[in-house]
Amino acid sequence: VLVAINRAFGMRPALQVSTGLLVSLALSYAWASEAPAAPSSGQVLSVPCSESARAEFLMGQALYARKSQTKPQDYRDAVEFFRKADEMGCPEAAAYLGISYLYGHGVPRDVERARTISERAASAGNELAEFTMGHIHKDGLGIPVDHAAARAWYRRAAERGNAEAAT
């Protein structure tokens, strides 16, 4: 984790970072940055993340949202944090990992993998993943267009607080 933080934020390797500091850093960076390109509004989760999985997710989210005047957006580091948090059972991270595969952010575009990951996160109660599943069904991304399924996914996401799904 420290190597990725050092590389992403240009910190000295000698810096010692605790999990609490890591979460604080991720939160402060995410709040100071613009919102991620992925559709999002206050997520309501049915399955909570462990503290360490949440720290990994928050670092990924901060990197995903990172904008720089000096270099182009690079989602690769964010995807690594999402992958680690997803492996620890964090549905929020799985939702962002699914979006990364859907749009080719930091990984080769893979619609089937995006659907599989997003469906798993949606089944765990993540509203962003439910919204993504609605999008996949509405536009027929890797599957036949299914407006009824899209409406059902959007409805679930809206019930959990996704404002974009409610429109």
Side-chain angles (χ1 to χ4, degrees), residues 7 60 63-64 72-83 96-110 113:
R7 188 172 65 238
L63 291 169
Y64 194 89
Q73 181 70 27
D74 184 353
Y75 296 103
R76 290 177 294 185
D77 289 333
V79 167
E80 287 308 310
F81 281 104
F82 294 150
R83 189 170 291 143
Y96 274 81
L97 188 58
I99 289 168
S100 297
Y101 278 104
L102 187 61
Y103 295 107
H105 291 171
V107 290
R109 187 167 192 248
D110 185 338
R113 194 168 193 182

Side-chain angles (χ1 to χ4, degrees), residues 53-161:
R54 181 109 180 116
E56 295 284 348
F57 165 69
L58 290 172
M59 282 303 303
Q61 190 177 42
L63 291 169
Y64 194 89
R66 184 177 182 193
K67 303 280 189 247
S68 173
Q69 300 294 330
T70 58
K71 67 180 192 174
Q73 181 70 27
D74 184 353
Y75 296 103
R76 290 177 294 185
D77 289 333
V79 167
E80 287 308 310
F81 281 104
F82 294 150
R83 189 170 291 143
K84 288 176 191 172
D86 179 36
E87 289 169 1
M88 292 185 232
C90 183
E92 292 173 291
Y96 274 81
L97 188 58
I99 289 168
S100 297
Y101 278 104
L102 187 61
Y103 295 107
H105 291 171
V107 290
R109 187 167 192 248
D110 185 338
V111 175
E112 179 59 31
R113 194 168 193 182
R115 188 187 60 74
T116 301
I117 294 169
S118 296
E119 191 167 29
R120 180 169 38 83
S123 295
N126 182 274
E127 58 87 12
L128 179 58
E130 291 169 343
F131 180 89
T132 302
M133 289 302 298
H135 175 66
I136 288 170
H137 284 278
K138 177 181 72 78
D139 291 345
L141 301 174
I143 58 173
V145 171
D146 185 341
H147 293 291
R151 280 190 300 276
W153 282 114
Y154 285 141
R155 188 177 314 109
R156 284 178 63 176
E159 288 170 357
R160 291 187 193 278

Side-chain angles (χ1 to χ4, degrees), residues 3-84:
V3 172
I5 292 170
N6 291 335
R7 188 172 65 238
F9 293 101
M11 295 178 175
R12 293 188 190 104
L15 181 65
Q16 297 295 313
V17 180
S18 69
T19 301
L21 181 59
L22 179 63
V23 171
S24 296
L25 173 65
L27 281 172
S28 64
Y29 191 83
W31 288 333
S33 300
E34 293 180 26
S40 182
S41 64
Q43 295 177 345
V44 178
L45 292 177
S46 296
V47 179
C49 296
S50 68
E51 182 179 320
S52 55
R54 181 109 180 116
E56 295 284 348
F57 165 69
L58 290 172
M59 282 303 303
Q61 190 177 42
L63 291 169
Y64 194 89
R66 184 177 182 193
K67 303 280 189 247
S68 173
Q69 300 294 330
T70 58
K71 67 180 192 174
Q73 181 70 27
D74 184 353
Y75 296 103
R76 290 177 294 185
D77 289 333
V79 167
E80 287 308 310
F81 281 104
F82 294 150
R83 189 170 291 143
K84 288 176 191 172

